[in-house]
Amino acid sequence: MQMHEEPHSKSTHASTARARPGVVVSPERSLVPDLELPKALIRYPGGDFYPMEFVELLEKSIQTIINEHATGSLMLVTISNLAMIINAYGHDTSEIVIHDLMKAIQSLLSPGDTVQRLQRDQIGIILCNSAPDQTVIMARRINATIQNFGRDSLSMVALYIIGTIGSVVLPAEASSAHDALDKAYIAVNGMQTVAHRTFDMTRAEADQCRQQMGLANYLFKAYKEKRLRLAYQPIIESKTGKISHYEALLRLVNASGKISSAGPLIPVAEKMGLIDDIDTMVMEMVIDELRHAPDIVLAFNVSNMTTENPIWLEHMGRLLRETPEIAPRLIVEITETAVLRDLRNTAFFVASIQSMGCQVALDDFGSGYTSFRQLKALSVDMVKIDGVFIKDLAHSADNQFFVKTLLDFAQGFGLQTIAEFVETGEATKILMEMGVDFMQGYYFGKPANHRTWLNEGEYSGE
């Protein structure tokens, strides 16, 4: 890889180092004094530093592999829970762990292969003669070593290490050190449930990544241009057949004026960091609607990520303190997956919303099998039965049994119940006989892009 240094100087000093790709810098002190990293580091785009010694060795190894018509691999091993180890047992213990783990990995390698610490929580491995299938086998052996690694002695307790491994085939997938490090970085940071991920596995996701970024730009542009709107779907009280309240659903107006659901874009918004702005905007729109329509009750959904956002809660609290009379007419819906993700945090979120005078509904009830203990800890006001069990209710004895069980379970806690996706009169009759409190679905009304409760000449907003 071509390396760029400051003109007329082969070495730079910490006081004059500039943070830009390819510049050799010398830190004033190592972050890890016990296993000191090489003084000369190369910074890559994104802010990652790699030891120049390792980068030069990788470049040399790639050229040797090419000249000998061989195949090799670069592997990056990240210790995902190093912070946990430091927090639990201290810096010295974490250094011994890394040191001994590197020795254990070295014992698995062939002569001529290299293992070196690259960053505080990352180890680099160069395999100079390793076919792709052999690299997979080696990754499994390293992963087994990581999983089984621990220390049982008089001075140290047993440790558990979580490691992730990313690899790239040399030179087939990368013919330079820079390219190899980039692609191994992509592989190791694409980890989810697998222990080892090759760069080749990420190729199939390239189109998906481009699509997601395109959708994120599309959504962000709509947000900035105020082309996000609310649609309203009625929720019916089973005993009277009258509208109890409406659920506010997010809609997107495209450049030609066509309106479509923004629901499919929410996972993209969560992944690309847009969900905070969108959930805040929806909350503001709903509160503004309630201020202008004193006779309606509105519900709206929040993302799982929003349940972990104290700033969002604080903002909602400020708005409700300005007009506290609307709080009883506001229902915040959270998903059951939020409960499974972090019960304690979700319970705090629910309690915070209720302390403002609002109600909380647990959406998609039944999809995640919320336990007795979890439902008791949450203290929500109502549950919405997952629509997947309602759609085929009239023709599925299993669904009927499951829905009746869920209703009895919820009603045993004194919670109100809402059935979603009610689309037929037959399903309506069954649900009423089961004792469901409210129903929502196309049978009673599709989401409307206008305010059905307004008379001509009344407030219509933007």
Side-chain angles (χ1 to χ4, degrees), residues 19-263:
R20 75 167 190 261
V23 176
V24 179
V25 299
S26 299
E28 293 182 359
R29 63 181 182 86
S30 172
L31 289 175
V32 190
D34 300 321
L35 281 178
E36 188 171 321
L37 296 171
K39 292 295 184 182
L41 302 175
I42 295 178
R43 184 174 186 176
Y44 282 89
D48 289 310
F49 287 91
Y50 293 105
M52 186 170 70
E53 174 190 359
F54 183 83
V55 175
E56 291 177 341
L57 178 60
L58 177 59
E59 190 71 59
K60 182 178 178 181
S61 298
I62 292 174
Q63 292 306 313
T64 300
I65 291 170
I66 292 174
N67 293 338
E68 295 179 356
H69 303 286
T71 299
S73 293
L74 167 66
M75 306 176 78
L76 295 182
V77 180
T78 297
I79 308 304
S80 306
N81 65 330
L82 183 62
M84 180 187 296
I85 295 172
I86 296 172
N87 192 33
Y89 301 115
H91 171 80
D92 291 344
T93 296
S94 71
E95 289 302 302
I96 295 173
V97 167
I98 297 293
H99 179 269
D100 288 2
L101 180 59
M102 288 176 62
K103 287 178 62 178
I105 293 174
Q106 183 71 65
S107 69
L108 302 175
L109 305 182
S110 301
D113 292 342
T114 299
V115 56
Q116 182 175 329
R117 190 173 188 176
L118 304 184
Q119 298 177 18
R120 190 167 194 176
D121 61 351
Q122 192 173 83
I123 298 169
I125 302 169
I126 302 174
L127 305 179
C128 293
N129 188 14
S130 178
D133 58 339
Q134 294 173 318
T135 298
V136 171
I137 294 172
M138 177 58 71
R140 290 173 181 168
R141 294 179 65 191
I142 293 174
N143 184 59
T145 298
I146 293 172
Q147 289 181 333
N148 296 325
F149 188 84
R151 296 181 63 90
D152 286 302
S153 68
L154 295 175
S155 60
M156 297 183 65
V157 297
L159 297 171
Y160 184 78
I161 301 177
I162 303 172
T164 53
I165 306 171
S167 66
V168 57
V169 178
L170 308 173
E173 294 175 340
S175 58
S176 71
H178 191 148
D179 196 27
L181 287 166
D182 279 350
K183 290 176 177 176
Y185 174 84
I186 292 171
V188 79
N189 282 279
M191 306 300 296
Q192 290 183 354
T193 58
V194 294
H196 170 226
R197 185 180 180 91
T198 64
F199 175 73
D200 184 62
M201 293 171 64
T202 67
R203 288 178 171 176
E205 300 170 3
D207 288 342
Q208 182 181 3
C209 290
R210 284 189 287 268
Q211 181 185 38
Q212 288 181 337
M213 286 187 283
L215 289 173
N217 286 328
Y218 176 68
L219 181 59
F220 181 71
K221 187 176 181 181
Y223 166 75
K224 295 295 287 184
E225 295 176 355
K226 301 185 183 302
R227 289 189 285 108
L228 294 175
R229 298 284 188 272
L230 294 179
Y232 306 93
Q233 186 172 28
I235 297 174
I236 306 300
E237 186 177 5
S238 299
K239 290 182 180 180
T240 64
K242 295 181 179 179
I243 295 176
S244 164
H245 59 282
Y246 296 85
E247 180 176 0
L249 302 165
L250 191 61
R251 294 291 184 261
L252 187 150
V253 183
N254 67 16
S256 62
K258 182 178 179 181
I259 300 175
S260 61
S261 172

Side-chain angles (χ1 to χ4, degrees), residues 176-412:
S176 71
H178 191 148
D179 196 27
L181 287 166
D182 279 350
K183 290 176 177 176
Y185 174 84
I186 292 171
V188 79
N189 282 279
M191 306 300 296
Q192 290 183 354
T193 58
V194 294
H196 170 226
R197 185 180 180 91
T198 64
F199 175 73
D200 184 62
M201 293 171 64
T202 67
R203 288 178 171 176
E205 300 170 3
D207 288 342
Q208 182 181 3
C209 290
R210 284 189 287 268
Q211 181 185 38
Q212 288 181 337
M213 286 187 283
L215 289 173
N217 286 328
Y218 176 68
L219 181 59
F220 181 71
K221 187 176 181 181
Y223 166 75
K224 295 295 287 184
E225 295 176 355
K226 301 185 183 302
R227 289 189 285 108
L228 294 175
R229 298 284 188 272
L230 294 179
Y232 306 93
Q233 186 172 28
I235 297 174
I236 306 300
E237 186 177 5
S238 299
K239 290 182 180 180
T240 64
K242 295 181 179 179
I243 295 176
S244 164
H245 59 282
Y246 296 85
E247 180 176 0
L249 302 165
L250 191 61
R251 294 291 184 261
L252 187 150
V253 183
N254 67 16
S256 62
K258 182 178 179 181
I259 300 175
S260 61
S261 172
L265 297 176
I266 296 303
V268 175
E270 292 177 333
K271 186 172 183 179
M272 306 302 286
L274 298 174
I275 197 63
D276 286 348
D277 289 334
I278 290 175
D279 271 2
T280 298
M281 179 204 68
V282 171
M283 177 254 290
E284 292 172 345
M285 292 169 71
V286 168
I287 289 177
D288 187 58
E289 197 66 44
L290 291 172
R291 287 172 176 168
H292 289 87
D295 298 324
I296 65 166
V297 178
L298 291 179
F300 70 100
N301 280 278
V302 295
S303 160
N304 292 346
M305 298 177 71
T306 296
T307 63
E308 302 173 0
N309 185 352
I311 297 175
W312 188 91
L313 273 176
E314 292 170 5
H315 183 50
M316 181 172 174
R318 283 194 299 271
L319 293 179
L320 290 178
R321 283 193 294 273
E322 295 173 4
T323 48
E325 67 277 5
I326 71 172
R329 297 187 288 117
L330 181 57
I331 302 170
V332 178
E333 297 185 6
I334 61 172
T335 64
E336 195 174 20
T337 52
V339 181
L340 301 177
R341 179 172 171 170
D342 189 335
L343 175 60
R344 179 178 298 180
N345 185 77
T346 306
F348 175 79
F349 180 85
V350 171
S352 299
I353 295 295
Q354 291 172 331
S355 71
M356 299 176 193
C358 307
Q359 298 182 77
V360 179
L362 180 61
D363 201 5
D364 300 329
F365 184 57
S367 63
Y369 305 102
T370 302
S371 69
F372 179 92
R373 180 183 66 85
Q374 291 169 327
L375 195 58
K376 183 178 180 180
L378 281 180
S379 297
V380 295
D381 301 286
M382 58 188 71
V383 295
K384 301 184 72 172
I385 307 297
D386 193 339
V388 70
F389 305 113
I390 306 297
K391 283 185 175 181
D392 197 35
L393 186 65
H395 307 99
S396 172
D398 289 341
N399 281 8
Q400 290 179 27
F401 174 78
F402 190 63
V403 169
K404 185 64 169 69
T405 301
L406 290 176
L407 289 173
D408 291 343
F409 184 51
Q411 290 165 353

